[in-house]
Amino acid sequence: MSNDLPMLPSGVDRISDLGTVLSIVEAAQRLGVSHKTVRRMIARNELIGAHKVPMHSGKGEQWQVPVSAIEQHNTKVRETNPPDVVQLEVERLTAEVATLKHQLEVQTVLREQTADQLEALHITVRLALQAAPTPKKKWWR
C-alpha cells in the first residue's frame, strides 16, 4: 500500500500542524513541560517565532508558539543529550532501583522479625500477668 502523504517532520503529529501555531498550554503538552516552563523558554528565546496576538475579546494579548519552534527545540535537546549519555543514565538509575529494592526487602524482613518478637513479648507479659498471684486484701480495708 503506497502512502501518497508527505513524510511529516518529527514532532509534527498532523498535516494541519504544518505552519500552525499553538497556545502556551498546547506547546507545554507537546514539550512535556509546564506552561510556566514554556513562558521561561519564550523569555530565553528558545522558541523562535513565538509571538503575542490580540485575544478574541480584545482585552490583552496571548502567546502563540509555532509548531516548527517546538520541533527545533526538540532537535536541539536530542543533539545535546546523545543516546550514549541517556543510556548511561538509564543504566545508573536501573542499578540504583535494584539497590533500593534490595534495601526494601531487607527492611521488610527486619520489620517482620521485629513484629514477631513484639508478639512473643506480648504473649509472655500476658501469661506473666495471669500467673501472678492476686494480692490479698488488707484486713484494715
Side-chain angles (χ1 to χ4, degrees):
M1 181 174 164
S2 68
N3 188 358
D4 295 334
L5 295 175
M7 186 73 156
L8 295 174
S10 61
V12 177
D13 299 333
R14 298 172 288 277
I15 290 181
S16 62
D17 285 346
L18 294 173
T20 61
V21 291
L22 303 171
S23 69
I24 286 187
V25 173
E26 293 168 332
Q29 290 172 345
R30 292 279 180 102
L31 291 169
V33 298
S34 73
H35 66 91
K36 291 179 181 179
T37 301
V38 172
R39 288 182 187 281
R40 287 192 295 269
M41 292 168 72
I42 291 170
R44 291 189 304 256
N45 292 323
E46 291 179 21
L47 297 175
I48 308 294
H51 58 281
K52 284 187 175 183
V53 295
M55 296 181 74
H56 294 293
S57 64
K59 297 178 183 177
E61 297 177 322
Q62 66 182 11
W63 281 101
Q64 290 189 340
V65 181
V67 173
S68 60
I70 292 173
E71 172 53 29
Q72 287 174 355
H73 180 268
N74 287 339
T75 301
K76 287 179 185 177
V77 168
R78 282 192 298 273
E79 289 172 358
T80 58
N81 295 324
D84 296 341
V85 173
V86 172
Q87 183 61 31
L88 289 174
E89 183 66 8
V90 167
E91 290 172 2
R92 184 189 70 77
L93 291 173
T94 303
E96 187 175 341
V97 166
T99 301
L100 291 171
K101 282 183 179 179
H102 177 71
Q103 290 175 353
L104 179 63
E105 290 171 2
V106 168
Q107 293 298 323
T108 302
V109 169
L110 290 174
R111 182 187 51 81
E112 289 171 357
Q113 289 176 350
T114 303
D116 291 344
Q117 290 173 351
L118 185 59
E119 182 64 26
L121 286 172
H122 185 70
I123 291 171
T124 303
V125 168
R126 249 189 288 146
L127 291 174
L129 289 175
Q130 289 174 358
T134 55
K136 291 185 177 181
K137 192 173 183 181
K138 304 288 183 188
W139 64 268
W140 60 86
R141 288 191 187 187

